[in-house]
Amino acid sequence: MSATIKDIARKVGVAPSTVSRVLSNKSKYYTSETAEKVKAAARELGYKKNQAAVELVKKQSNVIAAVVSSVKTNFAGQIIDGIQSEASKHGYNLIVVYSNSASAEEQRKALLTVIERPVMGILLLSIALSDDNLNMLKESDIPYCFLSMGFDDDRPFVSSDDMEIGYEATKFLIDKGHRRIGLAAIDKYPYTGRLRLAGYKKALSEVNIVPEDSWIQSGDYSYTAGESAMKAYGKDTELTGIVAASDMAAIGALNQARSLGLHVPDDVSIISIDGTEMCQIVQPQLTSVSQDFYKMGVVGVQRIEESVNSKTKSQNNQQLIPVHIYERDSTK
Amino acid sequence: MSATIKDIARKVGVAPSTVSRVLSNKSKYYTSETAEKVKAAARELGYKKNQAAVELVKKQSNVIAAVVSSVKTNFAGQIIDGIQSEASKHGYNLIVVYSNSASAEEQRKALLTVIERPVMGILLLSIALSDDNLNMLKESDIPYCFLSMGFDDDRPFVSSDDMEIGYEATKFLIDKGHRRIGLAAIDKYPYTGRLRLAGYKKALSEVNIVPEDSWIQSGDYSYTAGESAMKAYGKDTELTGIVAASDMAAIGALNQARSLGLHVPDDVSIISIDGTEMCQIVQPQLTSVSQDFYKMGVVGVQRIEESVNSKTKSQNNQQLIPVHIYERDSTK
DNA sequence: GCAAGTTAAGCAAACGTTTGCGCAATTAGA
DNA sequence: TCTAATTGCGCAAACGTTTGCTTAACTTGC
């Protein structure tokens, strides 16, 4: 029931096209006098652009969509922050839709909500798409980019170098003098876990160590996975250092270690992967291999922008963001 | 460039209107035979509905929008979870936009992204709208509802009963035998803080205690506000119990207490407000007055639904969700 | 003072759907 | 067999913008 461009046109006594041009700042098609009158009328009538109409005719909008696997990943916020700030720098709007990655049907619904309107690009945050849904995405011809996870195939993504993460975390402990080092709560088979595991093994092999099977406790990056891993290592573990798959896993391991009567870092050192603010609110504060999630968001938006501008597929569409180690109190 | 309803119509040899009716399941206007052919063609052409066109003609969509004040509030996730699940139960889609509540301009942009399209309702998560922006929202004629914060005026909202929160938290400590109880990191003047403060005072007055000024350390609910409050109380504080304004504030206070050499709960008990998962990952685990954020999301969606169905303004548009106390290890 | 160029503004088509209405063909009722 | 009701489907308008084209008026250069 709200005012349209035609109402304004009638009120001012000009054509709708003129109003449109004034309101979208297509300069040089009207006098500043007309412009003023139009703007005044628009204000007065409380005019709101109907984006549906705009998008219908322009077949392009200035909104970027982010599909997030779940509200629970505690770094999603940082990525979104990055996206938001870069997007708003370029005048794009951001809408986020959440999808429980467990269900392909939920994924599909989330994806459709964004595909069915002319968004300028889609960013996927740590979401594992089913084949059908990935196909749907590809066929939509909307630029997209995965964030914080990598792939074997040629899908565009920006993430950390997971091999480097595994390597650097392990190397850090090795340099501190540790030799018997565990890897906790990591998912061994998917791309990310596989690379981190490879990095871990590489670092160990450089000092001629082959990890025993029991050193590697796989899991799903969760708090409880961290707990279970620590439980499996046990009170009398031979390990002196642990690389935890995520902050939450590290905290799980940390708390479980305390329950077992182990002191961190005196009895066992823990280094965490991710480096969210969680690391700083637990005690002892967790040493971490920190990913630059904010930057991932920023770069993600830039990739979308490139895809939009140069219709030709850029060749370098898989980008790695460097990580940094922050030494805190959980290692020695 | 993707297929439209007309392409399907041409391919099958029927009118676009028939295709439309088939695709939106308007039964009784076509034979099942036609329906099959249409659906097959749609699949074959990879047809995607253009929502912009749909919304333009229907002036109504099935999307609910949530405007979130910042990615950082750690309970927003729970509210969104609740919204999501209730929304998808009714076949609505959810889009989220983030807005830094600090800047009225950012707020305005976020609000416009959702107002400028025919969303069925707007949910505002712990966001303090400027007057201008509130007016814009009201004038849009889109149903809206604030979540997790209350107001003096007649705006629709669903939140916890902040008076009860302050009262119950304090009462809990009183019942444990505490008499000198502090209130930390609360924002004294806005609605929420004011009510919690009132509840705190009420509980104390029931046992004939008037809190000293130094017992009440105001702040902004943050980790550092919790830290500062505890610092202000000091190592030799006369307080035996503290009500912290939020989980983060409680953790700040907890860690600061430890730095000061105070043991929780032996030297001082801490009860936290919010009850997010944070309470369970720190040690000692925090006793909390837990808000049912998930339910707020659910109820928020229901309120929107009501507004849509009965165009008449419901009178009972301010709803309070009960809180629960979970006793953990930070109080005794 | 006149042709050429410039400027401000209007006309109308187009975007992809939905839906009220109309029409023909079929079926039912008698 | 004839009228009435029903069924299946098509026509065309409508939603609110944008934008290429046209036009009229005005300015400039000579």
Side-chain angles (χ1 to χ4, degrees):
Chain A
M1 199 54 40
S2 79
T4 77
I5 228 173
K6 288 184 190 164
D7 298 325
I8 301 181
R10 202 172 316 125
K11 174 157 187 165
V12 178
V14 299
S17 43
T18 302
V19 176
S20 167
R21 291 192 248 253
V22 170
L23 262 22
S24 28
N25 291 310
K26 296 249 183 313
S27 53
K28 297 293 145 214
Y29 284 103
Y30 45 83
T31 56
S32 52
E33 190 191 359
T34 321
E36 278 319 309
K37 281 195 288 185
V38 166
K39 283 180 189 160
R43 241 190 322 273
E44 208 169 315
L45 295 172
Y47 172 73
K48 297 275 160 353
K49 215 183 260 246
N50 181 329
Q51 285 294 352
V54 176
E55 286 166 12
L56 180 57
V57 45
K58 299 229 270 193
K59 294 157 156 254
Q60 241 264 41
S61 73
N62 66 154
V63 353
I64 291 193
V67 182
V68 182
S69 79
S70 153
V71 197
K72 276 157 198 133
T73 37
N74 46 31
F75 54 75
Q78 291 180 57
I79 302 184
I80 292 176
D81 258 3
I83 298 176
Q84 182 81 274
S85 103
E86 183 70 9
S88 100
K89 193 186 296 176
H90 296 269
Y92 309 143
N93 288 320
L94 172 66
I95 70 179
V96 179
V97 337
Y98 290 95
S99 145
N100 182 342
S101 71
S103 141
E105 186 47 33
E106 284 294 320
Q107 265 187 13
R108 185 186 148 80
K109 278 200 325 207
L111 223 42
L112 273 180
T113 10
V114 305
I115 290 186
E116 284 183 346
R117 53 199 83 224
V119 297
M120 63 176 293
I122 301 178
L123 260 15
L124 300 109
L125 271 66
S126 55
I127 195 170
L129 238 41
S130 74
D131 288 350
D132 279 357
N133 289 333
L134 178 60
N135 266 330
M136 188 167 76
L137 179 60
K138 281 185 180 162
E139 283 169 7
S140 76
D141 270 338
I142 301 174
Y144 65 91
C145 183
F146 286 82
L147 258 35
S148 93
M149 57 186 326
F151 300 95
D152 284 333
D153 52 36
D154 63 348
R155 275 178 261 186
F157 68 77
V158 2
S159 80
S160 301
D161 183 337
D162 285 300
M163 170 80 102
E164 183 192 7
I165 287 180
Y167 179 82
E168 292 295 340
T170 312
K171 187 77 166 25
F172 178 87
L173 291 175
I174 290 172
D175 289 347
K176 289 272 174 188
H178 296 269
R179 284 301 176 269
R180 292 184 304 280
I181 297 170
L183 181 63
I186 218 145
D187 208 357
K188 285 198 285 197
Y189 302 111
Y191 191 79
T192 298
R194 199 165 68 238
L195 286 186
R196 292 185 184 176
L197 177 58
Y200 160 83
K201 284 184 173 166
K202 178 172 167 224
L204 283 177
S205 80
E206 285 179 3
V207 289
N208 298 312
I209 298 177
V210 177
E212 294 178 20
D213 283 354
S214 67
W215 293 7
I216 300 164
Q217 292 290 329
S218 58
D220 63 357
Y221 301 90
S222 68
Y223 181 89
T224 46
E227 258 182 355
S228 310
M230 193 66 226
K231 224 174 274 178
Y233 295 143
K235 178 172 167 36
D236 303 314
T237 181
E238 56 175 346
L239 301 178
T240 65
I242 296 172
V243 176
S246 74
D247 290 342
M248 286 311 271
I251 296 174
L254 178 67
N255 287 343
Q256 182 61 35
R258 186 156 15 206
S259 302
L260 291 172
L262 291 171
H263 192 266
V264 176
D266 296 332
D267 297 324
V268 59
S269 285
I270 296 181
I271 182 169
S272 174
I273 294 173
D274 280 351
T276 64
E277 54 174 3
M278 299 283 96
C279 292
Q280 294 170 73
I281 69 167
V282 294
Q283 299 226 323
Q285 294 193 355
L286 289 164
T287 294
S288 66
V289 181
S290 295
Q291 305 192 55
D292 197 340
F293 294 111
Y294 185 93
K295 178 135 190 221
M296 284 184 205
V298 171
V299 173
V301 172
Q302 292 168 348
R303 302 221 61 84
I304 295 295
E305 223 186 352
E306 286 168 30
S307 311
V308 170
N309 292 340
S310 69
K311 279 284 81 172
T312 82
K313 277 233 162 55
S314 122
Q315 61 284 32
N316 159 40
N317 60 352
Q318 305 194 331
Q319 199 161 334
L320 298 176
I321 307 291
V323 297
H324 294 285
I325 292 191
Y326 290 93
E327 181 167 3
R328 301 199 184 85
D329 313 323
S330 65
T331 48
K332 80 171 225 187
Chain B
M1 200 53 42
S2 78
T4 78
I5 227 174
K6 288 182 190 165
D7 297 325
I8 301 182
R10 201 172 315 122
K11 174 154 186 170
V12 178
V14 298
S17 43
T18 301
V19 175
S20 167
R21 290 192 249 254
V22 169
L23 260 24
S24 30
N25 290 310
K26 295 249 182 313
S27 53
K28 296 296 147 211
Y29 285 101
Y30 46 83
T31 55
S32 52
E33 192 191 0
T34 322
E36 278 320 309
K37 281 194 289 186
V38 166
K39 284 181 190 161
R43 240 189 324 271
E44 209 169 316
L45 295 173
Y47 171 73
K48 297 272 163 353
K49 214 182 259 245
N50 181 328
Q51 286 293 352
V54 175
E55 286 166 14
L56 179 57
V57 45
K58 300 229 267 193
K59 295 160 153 253
Q60 241 265 40
S61 74
N62 65 156
V63 354
I64 290 193
V67 181
V68 183
S69 79
S70 151
V71 198
K72 277 160 197 132
T73 38
N74 46 32
F75 53 76
Q78 292 179 57
I79 302 185
I80 292 176
D81 257 4
I83 298 176
Q84 183 80 277
S85 105
E86 184 70 8
S88 101
K89 194 186 294 176
H90 296 270
Y92 309 144
N93 288 320
L94 172 67
I95 70 180
V96 180
V97 337
Y98 290 95
S99 145
N100 183 343
S101 71
S103 141
E105 187 46 31
E106 284 293 322
Q107 265 186 12
R108 184 185 148 80
K109 280 201 320 208
L111 223 42
L112 273 180
T113 3
V114 305
I115 289 185
E116 283 183 346
R117 53 199 82 223
V119 298
M120 63 176 292
I122 301 178
L123 261 15
L124 299 109
L125 272 64
S126 53
I127 194 170
L129 239 41
S130 75
D131 289 349
D132 279 357
N133 288 334
L134 178 60
N135 266 330
M136 188 167 76
L137 179 59
K138 281 185 178 160
E139 283 168 7
S140 76
D141 269 339
I142 301 174
Y144 65 93
C145 183
F146 285 83
L147 260 33
S148 93
M149 58 186 329
F151 300 95
D152 284 333
D153 53 34
D154 63 347
R155 273 179 263 186
F157 68 76
V158 0
S159 81
S160 301
D161 182 338
D162 285 300
M163 169 80 102
E164 183 193 6
I165 288 180
Y167 179 81
E168 293 294 340
T170 312
K171 186 77 166 26
F172 178 88
L173 291 176
I174 290 173
D175 289 348
K176 289 269 174 189
H178 295 269
R179 285 299 176 270
R180 294 185 302 282
I181 298 170
L183 181 61
I186 217 144
D187 209 354
K188 284 200 282 195
Y189 302 110
Y191 191 79
T192 297
R194 200 165 69 237
L195 286 186
R196 292 185 185 177
L197 178 58
Y200 160 82
K201 285 184 172 165
K202 179 173 166 221
L204 283 177
S205 79
E206 284 180 2
V207 288
N208 300 311
I209 298 177
V210 177
E212 293 177 20
D213 283 354
S214 67
W215 294 7
I216 300 165
Q217 292 290 330
S218 58
D220 64 355
Y221 301 90
S222 68
Y223 181 90
T224 47
E227 260 182 354
S228 312
M230 193 68 226
K231 226 174 272 177
Y233 294 142
K235 178 174 167 35
D236 304 314
T237 180
E238 56 176 346
L239 300 178
T240 65
I242 295 171
V243 176
S246 74
D247 289 341
M248 286 311 272
I251 297 173
L254 178 67
N255 287 344
Q256 182 61 37
R258 188 159 11 208
S259 303
L260 291 171
L262 289 171
H263 193 265
V264 176
D266 296 332
D267 298 324
V268 58
S269 285
I270 297 181
I271 183 170
S272 173
I273 293 174
D274 280 352
T276 64
E277 54 175 3
M278 300 282 97
C279 292
Q280 294 170 73
I281 69 166
V282 294
Q283 297 225 327
Q285 295 194 354
L286 288 164
T287 295
S288 67
V289 181
S290 295
Q291 305 193 55
D292 197 341
F293 294 112
Y294 184 94
K295 179 135 188 221
M296 284 184 207
V298 171
V299 173
V301 172
Q302 292 168 348
R303 301 220 61 84
I304 295 295
E305 224 188 350
E306 286 167 31
S307 313
V308 170
N309 292 340
S310 69
K311 280 282 86 172
T312 85
K313 277 231 162 59
S314 125
Q315 62 284 30
N316 158 42
N317 61 353
Q318 304 195 331
Q319 199 161 332
L320 299 176
I321 307 292
V323 298
H324 293 284
I325 292 193
Y326 290 93
E327 181 169 4
R328 301 199 184 84
D329 311 325
S330 66
T331 51
K332 79 171 222 186

